[in-house]
Amino acid sequence: MHDAPALSLTLTPDHPWRRGVQGLSATALVTALLWLGWHTRQVGTPTLLMLMVAAGTTVPACWVWRRLAMVPVRQLVWRPADHHWLLQTRAGQLDCLADLGHWMLLRHRSPGGASTWLPVSRRDHAAQWHALRCALFNPGLPVTASVAPPADE
């Protein structure tokens, strides 16, 4: 089996992914606020539980919007010699969590436990798409020291 060739990708923020996540967080926020408004009209004043639910959806929704606005450009590198994926300068394992053929959701896990989600589309990386899929799904075997055959007795 041959090793997948070396690969280097510059990952820019994926706009459809950002819009989808922002849309879901906005939907959760609007639903909670509509629920709060409806219950306030029924009861007259909001209860502590209603206010906690509204705050519990507002804070994460704002955090998601702010976090997605600051997604940096990242460099993803496959080094076949030592079978490592590098994200920026951090070595780690790359897992494919969703593969739609033209779009993949990858997760880079560093040895320290930190995970980074990487949405990647063929539209943005057409020239390297095949090499990325080869390195991800069929990286080859790691190069190890050869083991001497057992001595005949």
Side-chain angles (χ1 to χ4, degrees):
M1 176 173 14
H2 297 287
D3 285 343
L7 174 69
S8 179
L9 290 175
T10 301
L11 302 176
T12 57
D14 189 67
H15 296 294
W17 169 258
R18 275 190 358 191
R19 297 295 174 242
V21 172
Q22 288 174 334
L24 287 174
S25 65
T27 301
L29 177 61
V30 168
T31 302
L33 294 177
L34 287 173
W35 177 79
L36 176 65
W38 183 80
H39 275 287
T40 302
R41 289 183 85 188
Q42 300 297 320
V43 177
T45 60
T47 64
L48 180 61
L49 175 64
M50 292 179 203
L51 294 174
M52 287 174 53
V53 168
T57 56
T58 302
V59 171
C62 292
W63 179 82
V64 165
W65 275 77
R66 180 162 164 66
R67 176 108 175 156
L68 287 175
M70 302 182 312
V71 174
V73 174
R74 296 183 173 113
Q75 191 71 27
L76 181 65
V77 177
W78 165 247
R79 293 188 356 204
D82 52 4
H83 284 254
H84 281 307
W85 284 98
L86 297 174
L87 181 63
Q88 301 300 89
T89 57
R90 294 186 338 244
Q93 179 180 348
L94 196 65
D95 301 315
C96 181
L97 300 176
D99 182 1
L100 303 179
H102 64 283
W103 184 87
M104 291 189 289
L105 180 60
L106 307 176
R107 179 181 61 194
H108 182 270
R109 289 186 296 158
S110 297
S115 292
T116 304
W117 296 84
L118 305 166
V120 183
S121 68
R122 180 170 42 202
R123 179 193 68 230
D124 295 336
H125 305 287
Q128 297 116 337
W129 191 250
H130 181 71
L132 171 63
R133 293 180 68 83
C134 287
L136 188 60
F137 296 119
N138 190 17
L141 299 173
V143 177
T144 57
S146 60
V147 177
D152 291 337
E153 295 180 30

